[in-house]
Amino acid sequence: MHTQIQNQMKRRLSQPENIEYVVRLIESSEHPNTKQLAIALCQDLGFLDFQGNEQHAGCVKALRELEAAGHFVLPSRKGKKLKLKPKRLNTPVAPAEDVPDRADQVCGLELVLVDTSEKMRIWNELMIREHYLGAGPFVGRQLRYLVYSDHGLLGALGFAA
């Protein structure tokens, strides 16, 4: 459904009168970036989903595709994308002690939901130090867990959309 709505936006925006309208909005400088332009277009042209929410992301995508096709030039992106660094601990995570060789001998196994900033720092530290891809980033909805036992912290898990 989302792709269908986005294609309808692109089709409607590519009509000559709407191309002219977009060009006028860009030239007016009232919308200094593409997101603000998309917000205005969603309001003015009624780009809504089935629940009545404005479709800003789909409108931005349609605008960028129309820009690539040479219909207009969108407001330039200011600066570079900020690459956020995960928040970490100041020290390494303490290794688990006396962990048995067999999984069925591990005592007190517990999955703990990462739901505080301190647990997130522990999760990030483990991922950065132990996982070959590092700590992310995750996209969409996500869950993170720490794996504890009577022997200490054993590891971490993460799931994302």
Side-chain angles (χ1 to χ4, degrees):
M1 284 297 179
H2 178 71
T3 304
Q4 181 182 5
I5 291 171
Q6 197 274 324
N7 287 336
Q8 290 171 359
M9 277 190 269
K10 182 179 173 186
R11 193 172 320 123
R12 188 156 171 216
L13 283 171
S14 57
Q15 294 171 348
E17 65 273 12
N18 287 331
I19 294 284
E20 291 174 19
Y21 181 59
V22 171
V23 169
R24 282 195 310 273
L25 286 177
I26 292 169
E27 289 174 350
S28 76
S29 300
E30 290 178 36
H31 310 288
N33 61 48
T34 304
K35 182 175 181 182
Q36 289 183 0
L37 178 64
I39 290 169
L41 287 168
C42 285
Q43 292 169 353
D44 295 346
L45 300 177
F47 292 147
L48 306 174
D49 66 12
F50 296 110
Q51 297 175 338
N53 300 313
E54 293 177 352
Q55 294 294 290
H56 302 151
C59 188
V60 167
K61 183 177 179 186
L63 287 169
R64 288 195 178 131
E65 288 175 5
L66 291 169
E67 177 187 41
H71 292 287
F72 42 73
V73 176
L74 292 169
S76 63
R77 296 178 185 174
K78 304 280 191 236
K80 295 181 181 177
K81 271 194 171 179
L82 206 51
K83 187 170 183 180
L84 299 175
K85 292 183 180 179
K87 292 185 176 20
R88 299 177 64 174
L89 296 173
N90 294 326
T91 59
V93 175
E97 297 179 4
D98 302 321
V99 180
D101 293 331
R102 294 181 24 180
D104 65 342
Q105 295 174 338
V106 175
C107 297
L109 198 58
E110 180 183 9
L111 282 179
V112 176
L113 180 65
V114 174
D115 58 358
T116 66
S117 60
E118 184 59 26
K119 290 176 189 171
M120 189 65 179
R121 288 177 188 272
I122 295 168
W123 191 92
N124 286 335
E125 193 67 31
L126 281 173
M127 288 296 141
I128 289 167
R129 291 181 183 269
E130 304 294 335
H131 197 282
Y132 72 101
L133 292 177
F138 279 1
V139 177
R141 292 184 181 233
Q142 46 199 264
L143 284 173
R144 291 178 172 90
Y145 294 95
L146 296 170
V147 182
Y148 286 94
S149 76
D150 291 347
H151 310 281
L153 182 58
L154 298 178
L157 302 167
F159 304 93

